[in-house]
Amino acid sequence: MKVTKRTVLWIVPILLIGAFYYFYGPKDAITENAYIDYVKSQTLVDNSNLTVEQAFNNYCEVSDWVFFETQRGQKVVEFKGKCPVEEITQPVNLQFLVDDEQTEHTVGAMLVNDVKQSSEERDTFIQTIYTN
């Protein structure tokens, strides 16, 4: 069988697309690992005995925890759930940025019903889940 230029010109792009999809395409969500366990065991409010997991479980109806790593190598744990916000149960996503050694974390972006919230709104929400 003779390989023509025409055959090569359509096979090479398909192989490149396949390789790109393999390396950069969507990955399965990681729902259990040490980073998630670390964030769940922390507290977000001083003088509170509630862990992050306990506070969210007490306040939100549905919850799911997902870990992913950004293109820059930053470790992110994301809470996804349905929580009361302004007296209406809405989908909430709250991200926690964790260092490689799992010794520090910071609270990242928060989305309510797919709308990014300000840091003040995020902090108010966190105070609310710890007081209820």
Side-chain angles (χ1 to χ4, degrees):
M1 184 166 132
K2 184 178 175 186
V3 178
T4 63
K5 249 188 208 181
R6 184 180 207 183
T7 305
V8 171
L9 289 176
W10 68 266
I11 290 178
V12 170
I14 289 174
L15 291 174
L16 288 173
I17 290 170
F20 183 79
Y21 183 80
Y22 177 77
F23 288 108
Y24 299 106
K27 308 285 188 248
D28 291 336
I30 299 172
T31 57
E32 291 185 22
N33 76 359
Y35 289 96
I36 294 173
D37 294 339
Y38 168 75
V39 170
K40 285 180 172 182
S41 67
Q42 299 303 301
T43 183
L44 296 177
V45 177
D46 294 333
N47 302 325
S48 177
N49 294 330
L50 284 178
T51 64
V52 171
E53 181 178 32
Q54 292 168 334
F56 278 102
N57 286 345
N58 291 343
Y59 191 71
C60 299
E61 295 175 8
V62 179
S63 64
D64 191 24
W65 295 87
V66 178
F67 169 80
F68 62 92
E69 192 170 339
T70 65
Q71 293 290 341
R72 292 188 225 156
Q74 193 165 28
K75 314 298 191 267
V76 179
V77 173
E78 183 174 54
F79 167 82
K80 295 180 178 187
K82 293 193 182 230
C83 308
V85 178
E86 298 176 1
E87 299 179 17
I88 301 170
T89 301
Q90 302 181 58
V92 172
N93 292 23
L94 181 60
Q95 295 181 344
F96 301 89
L97 311 172
V98 183
D99 68 337
D100 291 337
E101 293 80 31
Q102 298 174 23
T103 56
E104 293 183 18
H105 70 282
T106 56
V107 180
M110 178 176 156
L111 301 174
V112 174
N113 210 13
D114 294 326
V115 176
K116 187 171 190 240
Q117 304 297 298
S118 69
S119 58
E120 292 83 18
E121 291 169 319
R122 177 197 65 207
D123 295 342
T124 301
F125 174 77
I126 291 170
Q127 289 295 326
T128 302
I129 67 169
Y130 271 88
T131 56
N132 287 334

